[in-house]
Amino acid sequence: MSNVPRRVAITGMGAISPLGVGAEALWQGLREGRSGIGPLRHPDADRLRVKIAAQVPASFDPAANIDERTLPLLDRTSEFALHAAREAIAQSGLDFGHDELGQRTAVIVGTGVGGETTQDEQSRRLYAEDAQRAHPLTIVRLMTNASASQISIAWGLRGPTFAVASACASANHAIIQAAQMIRYGLADVAITGGTEACITYGALRAWEAMRVLADDTCRPFSANRRGLVLGEGAGIFVLESMEHAQARGAVILAELAGSGMTADATDIVMPSADGAAAAMKQALADAGLNAEDVDYINAHGTGTQANDATETRAIRLAFGAHADRLAVSSTKSMHGHALGASGALELVAVIGALRDSAVPPTANLDQADPACDLDYVPNVARQVSVRAALSNSFAFGGLNAVLALKRAP
C-alpha cells in the first residue's frame, strides 16, 4: 500500500437512463434540455395518485447484451448495472482476460433500495395471491450486493467487491470508496457507480405517503417547485490510477481529484446547510482546489422546498463570494431522482461539462425564489469553460457525499 496518494483517472463511463440507452444519450439529452419525465408506465398506475415518473425507455432490452443463462438471476437493478458496466469497460479499452489485472480490480456499486422489483413481486405473490413459496432465486436477485457481484462474475474481477447503501448518496459514496482504494494502492482499477430500479407499486405508495412527490414535473430552485420526481437507471465508471491509465495510453475523460463526506447528525429527513457545506469544503481541500478554481456545481437539487433552499445556503457557506460566479444546475429536472443511482447519472453530466465546456441547464425553472438566489443556468445549456466542478449528493439520514473533478490532463 502506497503512502503517497495516487491520482485517479476516469477512463470509461456507461449509463442507462430516462433519456436513453448509453452515456452519450444521457449527456446529449441533458445538454439539449430534454426531459425524461413522462406519464407513469405501471400496471397499477390507475391505483396510484402519482402519475409521472422518469423511467428508462420501454424499448430497453436487457437480453440484447446479457447472457440468457444470467438473465433469470437478475433483478432490474442488476440488468441496468450490467448494461452500463459493459459500455464503460468497452470505452476504457481494458482487457480483463489477464488474471493479474482482474486481481487488482475492485467493484463497488451503490444502490439505495436494491432489488425492489423482486421484493415487490414476491410480496405480492405471498400476501395478495396467497402463494405458499417465494421464487427460489428471490434472494440472489434482491440482495443489495447483487449488482456488484454480477459485474465481478461477468468480467472475472477478483478485487474488493461490495455494495454501498446510503439512500440518495449511495453512488457518490461508492465512487469515493473506489477512488480511495486506487489512491492508496488497494486496487489499480475500479468499476464503480450506482444503480436503481425503484418504480414499483410499494415504493410509489411509500413515496406518496411522504408527500414530497411532484404532480406536474420537477422544478428545482423554482419558486413554484412542488417536489421530486422518481427516476431509475444506472451509471457505471472505470477508475484507474493516473499512472496506470497513462502507461497504457488510455483516453482520460476526467480526473477524480477529491471528495468530501459528512453526516448532519441532526434529522433523518431535514437537510442541514452546515453538513452539506462541510462536505463541499472537504472535497475542495482534498482536491487541492480553491473556491475560485471551481466553475460548475451539479447540485443535488431535488425540487423540494427544503432541499433547494438549504443547498443554496450550503453553497454560499462553502464558496463565499465566489458562489455568485458559479454555474449551478440540477439535472434531476430532466432525469428525475434515481435515488441511489442519482450521483452516477449526474457524474455523466459533470464529465460532459468538463469535456465539452457546456453546462447543462436546470429545466423548468420559470419563477425566481428569493431563497434560491444563485445562477442555476435556467432552461438552456451554457457554453462556458469548466476547469473544475463539484457533484453534490445529500441523502435522507443526513448523509453528504461530494465529488470534486478536474478537466482531464
Side-chain angles (χ1 to χ4, degrees):
M1 184 185 301
S2 172
N3 292 320
V4 179
R6 300 190 294 180
R7 295 168 66 191
V8 178
I10 302 174
T11 58
M13 62 179 176
I16 174 70
S17 79
L19 287 163
V21 177
E24 187 63 21
L26 172 57
W27 167 237
Q28 290 304 324
L30 297 176
R31 186 171 178 175
E32 293 165 12
R34 286 192 280 112
S35 178
I37 297 169
L40 175 66
R41 303 191 314 270
H42 193 279
D44 295 310
D46 59 342
R47 301 171 58 196
L48 293 158
R49 292 194 302 274
V50 59
K51 300 299 182 185
I52 59 172
Q55 294 172 272
V56 165
S59 59
F60 170 65
D61 179 13
N65 61 16
I66 297 175
D67 186 273
E68 62 181 10
R69 295 168 297 179
T70 303
L71 274 172
L73 305 173
L74 305 181
D75 181 85
R76 186 169 169 85
T77 192
S78 294
E79 293 174 354
F80 290 165
L82 280 170
H83 175 89
R86 187 172 302 280
E87 180 186 6
I89 291 169
Q91 183 180 38
S92 76
L94 284 168
D95 178 4
F96 290 110
H98 305 290
D99 188 62
E100 184 177 348
L101 181 58
Q103 295 280 1
R104 296 284 298 165
T105 299
V107 184
I108 307 173
V109 179
T111 181
V113 180
E116 172 61 21
T117 301
T118 297
Q119 182 73 62
D120 199 65
E121 289 173 350
Q122 295 309 305
S123 294
R124 183 193 297 268
R125 281 173 46 83
L126 295 173
Y127 299 120
E129 300 172 6
D130 199 27
Q132 297 304 300
R133 64 192 293 267
H135 192 285
L137 297 177
T138 297
I139 296 301
V140 298
R141 290 174 180 169
L142 69 79
M143 60 189 189
T144 309
N145 64 296
S147 295
S149 294
Q150 291 292 351
I151 291 170
S152 168
I153 292 166
W155 281 274
L157 309 178
R158 294 176 172 82
T161 296
F162 55 91
V164 172
S166 54
C168 313
S170 298
N172 274 15
H173 272 129
I175 293 164
I176 291 168
Q177 292 300 309
Q180 294 289 56
M181 287 192 173
I182 291 172
R183 290 178 83 179
Y184 294 101
L186 294 174
D188 294 324
V189 176
I191 313 301
T192 186
T195 186
E196 204 79 274
C198 57
I199 301 178
T200 65
Y201 183 75
L204 289 166
R205 278 295 197 196
W207 280 99
E208 283 181 350
M210 289 199 75
R211 300 184 179 181
V212 295
L213 295 182
D215 58 5
D216 55 353
T217 192
C218 185
R219 304 177 181 276
F221 304 110
S222 190
N224 59 347
R225 62 191 184 275
R226 300 168 68 114
L228 61 89
V229 174
L230 283 180
E232 63 178 359
I236 300 293
F237 304 86
V238 176
L239 309 186
E240 302 179 53
S241 71
M242 188 69 70
E243 180 183 20
H244 187 273
Q246 290 175 335
R248 67 183 188 88
V251 174
I252 297 169
L253 306 180
E255 179 178 355
L256 182 51
S259 61
M261 298 180 287
T262 64
D264 295 344
T266 53
D267 190 278
I268 199 70
V269 294
M270 185 62 67
S272 161
D274 290 338
M280 285 185 270
K281 289 178 180 178
Q282 281 188 16
L284 292 174
D286 190 40
L289 293 168
N290 297 315
E292 295 76 16
D293 298 325
V294 176
D295 299 302
Y296 171 54
I297 296 178
N298 187 290
H300 188 56
T302 60
T304 64
Q305 289 292 328
N307 176 88
D308 295 359
T310 301
E311 186 167 12
T312 299
R313 293 197 302 274
I315 291 170
R316 289 201 172 279
L317 285 172
F319 282 86
H322 186 64
D324 289 315
R325 293 186 287 275
L326 286 167
V328 180
S329 68
S330 171
T331 51
K332 288 185 179 71
S333 58
M334 294 170 279
H335 58 63
H337 194 345
L339 305 182
S342 285
L345 300 182
E346 289 154 7
L347 182 53
V348 172
V350 174
I351 292 170
L354 288 162
R355 295 190 74 191
D356 294 354
S357 296
V359 172
T362 302
N364 310 312
L365 205 171
D366 52 18
Q367 291 187 21
D369 182 349
C372 300
D373 58 355
L374 298 172
D375 176 4
Y376 301 111
V377 194
N379 302 311
V380 179
R382 183 180 303 162
Q383 289 297 131
V384 59
S385 177
V386 180
R387 301 162 297 164
L390 298 189
S391 187
N392 290 345
S393 286
F394 307 135
F396 279 177
L399 309 181
N400 309 303
V402 178
L403 307 178
L405 291 103
K406 295 178 181 178
R407 186 185 295 161

